[in-house]
Amino acid sequence: MIRYLIKNNFKIISRNAINILVLTLAPIIVSAVLISAFSAMMEKYEEVGAFKVGYSCNHDDITDQYIDGLKSVAEGQGISFVEYEGTNAEEAVADYKLAGFVEFGKDSYTVYKTDENTAEGQILEYLLHAYYENMSLAISEQLMAAGSENVAENNAKDETIGSKMKVETADFIPAVDSTDYYGIIYMIYFSWCCIVCGAGLFTAEKKYGIEKRQMVSGISDFKEYLSKFIPMVLMACGGLAIYGVLSIALLDVHWGNIALSALLVVLGIMAATALGLMVYAICDNMVVTVIIVFMLVWVWGFVGGSFETYIFSSTSETLKNLSPIYYENRALVELSCMGESDYVIKSIICSSTITAVCSGIAVLAGAIRRKGGKK
């Protein structure tokens, strides 16, 4: 019986052309427009790479210790410091094709940059500033720990002051361009509108009195729910699978881990379908159901980065975490640019919870309505 209902309901749903328009063409059109509009804003940053810097100093003991430590730290960042004594800084930069030049004094330093190497100059300035800040902090800690009368003795025991610097690399998310971002998140956004797949089915039920026939058929409330849930999920998955292929072929979207990305999308579709069926079971009106679901999806999309990218969004993290779309957006985008994401598990839990809770409420609401109809 359940197979027969699923098969018939799928046939009814597949006759509605709006499914293809909403779940395939709509995200393609919207994604293409936004990819073009925001390509400059989300343009990928090109890494500077290794470069060479010249320097000169007065070679006193303290300065030599600072520079030895600095050169060691800089080498780890791809920056080579080369000494040029008795050479004018500006001439050295031009003659030896240096990215910059530093003149070290006893209590200060002077940085020379060029217009052609702006990024390298900024990196150099930041490195020097961070290094000297760390040196000041290290010396202050030594003074506090050993007392000012023992500082000279403690410094003599150290190999170099600069070797005491702690260098850490901060975690970061690689840049993602507008093609991958909008090509991914609008698939998710429209997948949460998949309640439209049931429009033809719900209309047919009202028109031909199918629901009344099911009331006397003896089929359980859960099986009746599955007879709608399964074909709607299959139709939505089919339409979005076509979009996924077109997004790669026409828009050159990179999906990263395709198998894991597909799993997240399918779970999101299941959650969206369960949500729509729950609202319909309570309202028993397709128009009201579409309005309520679309309003929820719009708000979740706005907060979760479908309109304003979550990368540049000023919305608080707490508010973002209230949107199930945010977890799915972030997980899929990070899978695309990093190959992994801490939000994968969160997205799975969120979608699965919504599916279970909404399905339970939908079955319960349907059972109550059927009992009321029998009376």
Side-chain angles (χ1 to χ4, degrees):
M1 183 66 174
I2 181 67
R3 293 180 182 177
Y4 175 78
L5 287 175
I6 291 173
K7 180 180 178 181
N8 279 1
N9 288 343
F10 186 81
K11 287 181 179 179
I12 294 173
I13 291 172
S14 63
R15 293 173 189 154
N16 196 344
I18 194 172
N19 299 326
I20 301 299
L21 294 176
V22 172
L23 299 179
T24 303
L25 297 182
I28 280 286
I29 294 170
V30 174
S31 298
V33 170
L34 292 177
I35 287 169
S36 176
F38 294 105
S39 58
M41 182 185 75
M42 299 184 67
E43 188 175 17
K44 286 187 177 181
Y45 170 74
E46 297 295 335
E47 188 176 355
V48 171
F51 58 90
K52 186 166 65 174
V53 175
Y55 77 92
S56 62
C57 64
N58 55 13
H59 285 293
D60 58 59
D61 292 338
I62 299 298
T63 303
D64 284 343
Q65 290 183 42
Y66 280 167
I67 292 177
D68 287 342
L70 174 62
K71 291 170 71 174
S72 176
V73 172
E75 284 291 343
Q77 305 301 315
I79 305 172
S80 301
F81 275 83
V82 180
E83 184 177 5
Y84 295 93
E85 286 294 344
T87 305
N88 179 275
E90 296 179 1
E91 292 178 356
V93 169
D95 294 342
Y96 300 103
K97 297 182 179 179
L98 305 174
F101 197 95
V102 185
E103 290 183 348
F104 292 99
K106 184 175 183 180
D107 301 314
S108 63
Y109 61 84
T110 303
V111 178
Y112 294 86
K113 302 182 295 181
T114 65
D115 294 336
E116 293 79 11
N117 298 288
T118 303
E120 289 86 345
Q122 292 177 343
I123 293 172
L124 176 60
E125 283 190 323
Y126 178 79
L127 174 68
L128 291 167
H129 175 75
Y131 183 79
Y132 275 92
E133 285 290 324
N134 275 274
M135 288 300 95
S136 298
L137 181 60
I139 292 172
S140 297
E141 290 176 350
Q142 286 182 349
L143 288 171
M144 293 176 64
S148 59
E149 67 278 335
N150 296 324
V151 171
E153 181 181 349
N154 289 337
N155 284 344
K157 294 178 181 179
D158 291 334
E159 293 179 6
T160 63
I161 296 176
S163 65
K164 292 296 182 181
M165 275 195 67
K166 182 180 180 181
V167 180
E168 296 182 353
T169 301
D171 294 331
F172 68 98
I173 299 176
V176 56
D177 60 21
S178 62
T179 299
D180 292 340
Y181 186 86
Y182 288 111
I184 290 170
I185 59 97
Y186 271 98
M187 178 183 195
I188 301 166
Y189 180 77
F190 281 96
S191 73
W192 279 83
C193 300
C194 63
I195 186 60
V196 296
C197 291
L201 176 61
F202 300 141
T203 301
E205 285 185 341
K206 296 288 186 181
K207 183 177 180 180
Y208 300 108
I210 297 175
E211 194 172 31
K212 293 180 180 180
R213 296 177 187 178
Q214 291 175 344
M215 287 182 182
V216 296
S217 66
I219 187 172
S220 68
D221 298 313
F222 182 65
K223 287 183 178 180
E224 183 190 352
Y225 172 79
L226 287 180
S227 70
K228 298 182 179 70
F229 178 83
I230 293 175
M232 287 176 62
V233 169
L234 291 176
M235 177 57 69
C237 288
L240 289 171
I242 295 173
Y243 166 78
V245 173
L246 292 177
S247 70
I248 296 173
L250 301 180
L251 303 178
D252 195 26
V253 175
H254 302 92
W255 284 92
N257 189 324
I258 295 180
L260 189 53
S261 297
L263 173 63
L264 295 179
V265 173
V266 171
L267 290 176
I269 291 172
M270 293 172 64
T273 303
L275 173 68
L277 288 174
M278 179 194 72
V279 176
Y280 182 77
I282 295 172
C283 300
D284 195 26
N285 186 295
M286 186 59 192
V287 175
V288 175
T289 298
V290 170
I291 292 173
I292 293 174
V293 171
F294 278 29
M295 286 178 62
L296 283 173
V297 173
W298 189 93
V299 173
W300 288 341
F302 179 80
V303 174
S306 295
F307 308 115
E308 180 184 21
T309 61
Y310 70 78
I311 298 172
F312 302 116
S313 175
S314 58
T315 306
S316 69
E317 195 70 18
T318 301
L319 192 57
K320 291 177 184 176
N321 289 332
L322 296 177
S323 168
I325 291 179
Y326 173 67
Y327 296 107
E328 206 174 338
N329 275 350
R330 183 148 185 176
L332 288 172
V333 170
E334 290 182 1
L335 284 174
S336 172
C337 65
M338 298 168 57
E340 59 182 3
S341 174
D342 294 335
Y343 281 79
V344 169
I345 300 300
K346 295 179 182 179
S347 179
I348 291 173
I349 293 173
C350 182
S351 296
S352 300
T353 301
I354 292 174
T355 302
V357 172
C358 291
S359 294
I361 296 175
V363 172
L364 180 61
I368 294 172
R369 193 172 72 248
R370 288 181 71 179
K371 287 179 181 179
K374 287 179 180 180
K375 293 180 180 179

